[in-house]
Amino acid sequence: MEFISLIPILIMFVIYLVVIGLTIWFAISLISAQKERNLVLKEISNKLSVVENSKKEE
C-alpha cells in the first residue's frame, strides 16, 4: 500500500525529467542549427567579398 502512495510522486518526477530533457535537446538542436547558418553566411560573405574585390580591380 505504501508503493501506491508513491506513484503520483514518481509520475511527476518522470514528467519533470522529460520536460528537462526536451528543453536540453531543443537548446542543443537550436545551437547546432545556428552554427550551420553562421557557416553558410560566412561562406556567402567570403564569396561576395571576392566578387567585390575582383570588380574593383577591373
Side-chain angles (χ1 to χ4, degrees):
M1 286 298 182
E2 292 178 16
F3 180 71
I4 294 175
S5 64
L6 292 177
I7 289 177
I9 295 171
L10 292 174
I11 290 173
M12 290 304 294
F13 183 71
V14 168
I15 290 172
Y16 286 136
L17 286 178
V18 168
V19 169
I20 290 171
L22 286 174
T23 304
I24 291 171
W25 170 79
F26 178 75
I28 289 172
S29 64
L30 184 67
I31 291 170
S32 175
Q34 292 297 321
K35 283 183 180 179
E36 288 179 26
R37 183 181 136 262
N38 286 342
L39 287 174
V40 170
L41 289 174
K42 188 178 284 188
E43 289 175 8
I44 292 171
S45 174
N46 289 339
K47 288 179 183 179
L48 287 175
S49 64
V50 167
V51 169
E52 185 177 301
N53 288 338
S54 67
K55 284 184 179 180
K56 286 182 180 178
E57 291 174 359
E58 292 177 358

